[in-house]
Amino acid sequence: MKRNLIIIGSGPAAWTAAIYAARANLAPLLFEGAISAENQAKNTLPMGQLALTSEVENFPGFPAGDLSEYLKSAIDPDRLSYLPPHSKEGVSGPELVELMRQQAINFGTEIISEDVVQLNAEARPFALVASDEETYEAHAVIIATGASANWLGLPSEEKFKNRGVSACAVCDGALPRFRNHPVAVVGGGDSALEDANYLTQFASEVLLIHRRDEFRASKIMVDRTLRNEKIKPFYSYVVKEVLGDDSAGVVGVKLESVKDGSETILDVSGLFVLIGHTPNTAFLDGVVDLDEKKYVRWVQPGRTFTSVPGIFAAGDCADSIYRQANTAAATGCMAALDAEHWLRENMD
């Protein structure tokens, strides 16, 4: 069966695109991804990075408050039962993305819990092969597969994610557990140093850990960072272990010197792992133009067009700069509107 529109992804960009497309009577089919050991290992499970975010304070429309009754009325009970207990202090990442999913369903979005492993852009309509080996066809496609944060790969890091370990300073830096407490940052590029400076607005001190003896960021960013009195660099160290307990979460990090193997313990309330992101675009290599970092390239400013007419991109898979739920949702809206217009102009 040929579809008007297929959307690939399950984060804010994908669900927003689905909401707009469904309301425009495009009857979108959305591939939200599979729950599998492979996806878990790659940090690409369904629902995107919001599913790994405890508290969301900066998404418009969700101020702090008890949402328990609203969640019960808005989300399918079977889906609600899988969510963590509501904190009654605002919306959590899993709750927010689940609300988006439910809203897309309410308008008629069809969902398949499989991955798209192949996209044939030379065929018209486009042919997509899913992880269940079924082939689907669509006149237009929106790619909203997101990007995955790069992690250190430590068991203790995994244990304390959302309890002091974060990969997004802008998302989490203002949370109460980090305010007026020392935090550690791992990274040495421009983004890491920029976020370290950002965190000084909230943390009492930022301990900046880098495995080399100098940062690889631009000179102007390095100079700005080293002038910041609240930032203390730790050169030639790697994080060996995240320290904490079940009640307090992160309470420190153990460092190991790359020069002599000596160990140092830092007392911190959080660890921000800022060593970059990897866009989830491996299946698109050779299909649409990607930039040097493998993000999907938008070929026209202000539009979500890719190098292939009829294929659009939204969210973090095409955004190496902002990577916020708000910006992802915005480009999801743009992609749906672009796709609707393209279908109207090119299809009966």
Side-chain angles (χ1 to χ4, degrees):
M1 179 180 176
K2 297 182 180 67
R3 307 282 180 154
N4 288 318
L5 176 65
I6 285 179
I7 301 168
I8 310 170
S10 58
W15 296 123
T16 304
I19 291 166
Y20 272 79
R23 293 183 74 250
N25 294 324
L26 295 181
L29 172 65
L30 184 145
F31 285 87
E32 67 175 349
I35 299 177
S36 65
E38 180 182 0
N39 282 346
Q40 184 173 11
K42 296 187 299 182
N43 292 308
T44 56
L45 287 171
M47 312 304 267
Q49 294 187 75
L50 271 183
L52 303 174
T53 304
S54 53
E55 299 172 55
V56 180
E57 294 185 327
N58 55 4
F59 199 89
F62 290 92
D66 186 350
L67 300 175
S68 53
E69 294 303 315
Y70 171 65
L71 293 171
K72 290 177 184 178
S73 67
I75 299 175
D76 181 273
D78 290 338
R79 297 284 301 187
L80 189 62
S81 66
Y82 288 104
L83 292 177
H86 179 57
S87 68
K88 300 184 180 181
E89 296 179 355
V91 70
S92 71
E95 290 165 351
L96 180 58
V97 74
E98 195 66 51
L99 287 167
M100 296 178 186
R101 184 184 191 274
Q102 186 66 57
Q103 193 170 359
I105 291 173
N106 291 350
F107 288 116
T109 300
E110 182 181 352
I111 298 172
I112 294 180
S113 299
E114 298 287 346
D115 298 309
V116 172
V117 297
Q118 183 179 338
L119 170 57
N120 184 353
E122 297 180 356
R124 295 293 174 137
F126 302 115
L128 299 87
V129 179
S131 50
D132 60 0
E133 300 184 354
E134 292 290 330
T135 299
Y136 300 82
E137 294 182 323
H139 295 300
V141 174
I142 294 176
I143 300 163
T145 48
S148 300
N150 299 330
W151 297 97
L152 301 173
L154 301 172
S156 55
E157 170 192 56
E158 182 70 28
K159 178 179 179 180
F160 291 108
K161 283 181 181 177
N162 294 330
R163 292 191 294 159
V165 172
S166 170
C168 184
V170 175
C171 308
D172 299 331
L175 294 178
R177 72 167 297 117
F178 304 122
R179 284 183 178 270
N180 302 313
H181 294 286
V183 300
V185 169
V186 179
D190 277 319
S191 295
L193 268 59
E194 183 175 351
D195 284 356
N197 280 276
Y198 172 82
L199 287 168
T200 60
Q201 300 176 77
F202 312 106
S204 61
E205 187 178 28
V206 176
L207 310 178
L208 185 54
I209 304 160
H210 189 48
R211 65 180 301 117
R212 298 181 177 86
D213 56 8
E214 61 180 18
F215 297 118
R216 54 185 174 83
S218 59
K219 185 178 186 304
I220 188 171
M221 182 57 70
V222 172
D223 290 344
R224 182 184 305 165
T225 301
L226 296 181
R227 287 198 305 268
N228 193 321
E229 295 180 353
K230 294 182 73 174
I231 296 179
K232 181 179 180 180
F234 284 78
Y235 299 109
S236 303
Y237 278 99
V238 294
V239 176
K240 186 175 182 180
E241 185 180 0
V242 182
L243 308 175
D245 56 57
D246 291 338
S247 60
V250 172
V251 299
V253 291
K254 180 185 294 185
L255 307 185
E256 182 179 72
S257 169
V258 299
K259 293 184 175 180
D260 59 20
S262 61
E263 295 182 349
T264 299
I265 292 179
L266 306 178
D267 296 326
V268 295
S269 67
L271 172 67
F272 289 85
V273 182
L274 305 177
I275 54 176
H277 289 72
T278 300
N280 302 320
T281 58
F283 73 104
L284 296 171
D285 209 353
V287 178
V288 297
D289 284 352
L290 307 178
D291 67 15
E292 64 278 1
K293 296 180 180 179
K294 301 301 181 181
Y295 287 86
V296 179
R297 192 188 303 276
W298 284 322
V299 297
Q300 182 174 331
R303 307 302 291 271
T304 61
F305 303 158
T306 71
S307 59
V308 177
I311 299 181
F312 309 87
D316 290 9
C317 68
D319 174 16
S320 62
I321 299 174
Y322 300 104
R323 292 190 296 264
Q324 298 296 302
N326 289 305
T327 53
T331 56
C333 165
M334 294 163 60
L337 295 175
D338 283 341
E340 180 190 4
H341 179 79
W342 186 87
L343 287 166
R344 188 169 61 247
E345 293 293 320
N346 292 275
M347 298 292 155
D348 292 334

